[in-house]
């Protein structure tokens, strides 16, 4: 059977054929714009040595595009009722494995590692469900899998926060957490008209280069992230007041530690670079 011709009519008619009603609570906004699909595949840049992990294949639009160029696509979908839609969409794709699981509950290393042969690269690609974007992203980035790069569609304002530099209102825990693990590159904006049903906001495709994270490595990541969260929890306060309060440390001790890391205790969290946060974490 011929593969479904994607583009707006392909996805729509596939959903109609299977009487599939999209579920808002699962973030089901399916991509129907072939230029956007092509743009994502271009960023993933798969070769015959690329294994792609996709979360949320939905009706299979991105999955089929990726499968044309990748060695293999492993797709994790939570919604079991998409089974007939996906098996129809993927009839002629022999290099796709769909796993019906909640990606936050599955052991990603156990699932993916058997597919990786020596010399293969692993890339994460997803049009992420917006209600759960960051938990899924961090479940993958912190799984221990050797993800070389990630190409994800997220809400535009989330993309702005991911890519934000110190000094602005968008810079916060998400910016530091993502940029600690990867170099962030916002690729393009995607309007609501690229989806069915249409979301209420613009989206953006982001490339995360995980093979080349910034140089600031820390010995104890748990302490690093605790400091980052504490510093931003009350972002209008000075670093000294924010950390002393959140960590229940006497102010004079806290001030001495901040100074020992070469930072002014009256600075605000939003002005600190990742390497300053890592120096700070070393003192705690
Ligand atoms: N990739 C498709 C596309 O671009 O058209 C669908 C993307 S849609 C925004 C998000 C998909 O993620 C939906 O198919 C939804 O059912 C699935 N999903 C939501 N939560 C999930 C979870 N926890 N684990 C796996 N898939 C999930």
């Amino acid at each position: 059977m011929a593969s479904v011709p994607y583009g707006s009519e392909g996805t729509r008619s596939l959903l109609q054929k299977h009487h599939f009603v999209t579920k808002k609570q699962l973030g089901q906004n399916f991509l129907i714009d072939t230029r956007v699909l092509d743009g994502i595949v271009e960023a993933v840049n798969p070769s015959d040595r690329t294994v792609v992990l996709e979360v949320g294949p939905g009706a299979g639009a991105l999955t089929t595009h990726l499968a044309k160029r990748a060695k293999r696509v492993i797709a994790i979908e939570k919604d079991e009722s998409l089974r007939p839609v996906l098996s129809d969409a993927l009839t002629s794709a022999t290099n796709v494995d769909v796993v019906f699981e909640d990606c936050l509950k599955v052991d990603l290393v156990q699932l993916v590692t058997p597919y990786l042969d020596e010399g293969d690269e692993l890339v994460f690609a997803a049009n992420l469900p917006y209600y759960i974007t960051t938990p899924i992203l961090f479940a993958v980035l912190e799984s221990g899998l050797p993800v070389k790069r990630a190409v994800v569609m997220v809400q535009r304002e989330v993309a702005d926060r991911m890519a934000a530099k110190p000094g602005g209102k968008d810079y916060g825990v998400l910016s530091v957490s993502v940029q600690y693990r990867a170099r962030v590159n916002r690729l393009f904006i995607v309007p609501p008209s690229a989806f069915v049903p249409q979301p209420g906001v613009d989206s953006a495709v982001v490339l995360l280069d995980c093979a080349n994270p910034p140089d600031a490595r820390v010995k104890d990541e748990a302490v690093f992230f605790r400091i980052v969260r504490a510093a931003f929890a009350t972002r209008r306060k000075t670093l000294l007041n924010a950390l002393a309060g959140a960590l229940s440390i006497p102010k004079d001790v806290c001030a001495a530690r901040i100074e020992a890391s070469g930072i002014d205790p009256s600075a605000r969290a939003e002005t600190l670079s990742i390497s300053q946060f890592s120096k700070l974490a070393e003192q705690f």
Side-chain angles (χ1 to χ4, degrees):
M1 191 177 136
S3 61
V4 176
Y6 270 103
S8 96
E9 289 324 304
T11 301
R12 279 214 182 87
S13 58
L14 189 64
L15 295 174
Q16 273 163 14
K17 177 179 167 192
H18 293 276
H19 308 290
F20 187 84
V21 180
T22 53
K23 300 177 184 70
K24 201 174 175 183
Q25 71 276 20
L26 285 178
Q28 291 180 344
N29 301 100
F30 296 145
L31 262 172
I32 54 168
D33 188 323
T34 40
R35 287 164 309 174
V36 176
L37 290 162
D38 289 341
I40 296 173
V41 175
E42 224 29 69
V44 171
N45 193 20
S47 74
D48 58 1
R49 301 310 305 267
T50 307
V51 175
V52 180
L53 171 64
E54 186 192 5
V55 164
L62 181 57
T63 323
T64 48
H65 272 66
L66 291 166
K68 282 183 200 147
R69 285 178 47 185
K71 176 183 174 191
R72 183 155 290 276
V73 181
I74 307 156
I76 308 174
E77 174 55 61
K78 182 173 178 175
D79 187 358
E80 274 268 358
S81 67
L82 278 163
R83 195 182 280 276
V85 180
L86 272 169
S87 78
D88 195 348
L90 299 170
T91 312
S92 52
T94 54
N95 57 344
V96 178
D97 287 287
V98 181
V99 179
F100 286 95
E101 294 272 6
D102 180 337
C103 75
L104 295 179
K105 295 192 178 147
V106 78
D107 183 334
L108 294 172
V109 174
Q110 206 175 18
L111 172 70
V112 175
T113 306
Y115 290 100
L116 292 171
D117 294 321
E118 209 179 323
D120 286 350
E121 62 169 10
L122 177 64
V123 182
F124 175 54
N127 169 15
L128 286 169
Y130 291 164
Y131 76 105
I132 198 175
T133 301
T134 49
I136 293 179
L137 184 61
F138 285 104
V140 174
L141 295 185
E142 295 174 353
S143 64
L145 281 170
V147 177
K148 195 166 174 197
R149 58 191 172 280
V151 181
V152 288
M153 171 100 70
V154 296
Q155 287 183 23
R156 184 182 183 165
E157 59 93 14
V158 174
D160 290 344
R161 287 196 280 129
M162 281 180 176
K165 295 290 170 215
K169 67 172 174 41
D170 286 335
Y171 187 68
V173 178
L174 181 63
S175 329
V176 177
S177 309
V178 175
Q179 291 171 37
Y180 175 74
R181 304 202 178 278
R183 285 190 197 276
V184 182
N185 192 354
R186 266 173 306 178
L187 296 182
F188 51 89
I189 305 294
V190 182
S193 58
F195 303 87
V196 63
Q198 296 192 11
V201 292
D202 277 345
S203 305
V205 175
V206 180
L207 169 66
L208 304 177
D209 180 359
C210 312
N212 295 295
D215 301 328
R217 298 287 91 196
V218 295
K219 282 193 221 97
D220 189 334
E221 291 189 354
V223 172
F224 173 77
F225 286 113
R226 191 142 51 88
I227 295 291
V228 172
R229 277 193 298 273
F232 281 109
T234 46
R235 60 187 293 149
R236 295 176 69 120
K237 287 189 181 174
T238 63
L239 200 54
L240 173 59
N241 286 339
L243 290 185
L247 304 173
S248 306
I249 299 175
K251 268 197 179 175
D252 54 336
V253 176
C254 195
R257 291 185 186 179
I258 298 171
E259 275 166 2
S261 60
I263 297 164
D264 178 355
S266 67
R268 286 186 165 68
E270 65 195 31
T271 65
L272 265 56
S273 67
I274 297 188
S275 78
Q276 283 178 307
F277 272 116
S278 71
K279 286 191 188 116
L280 191 58
E282 306 281 291
Q283 300 297 326
F284 282 83

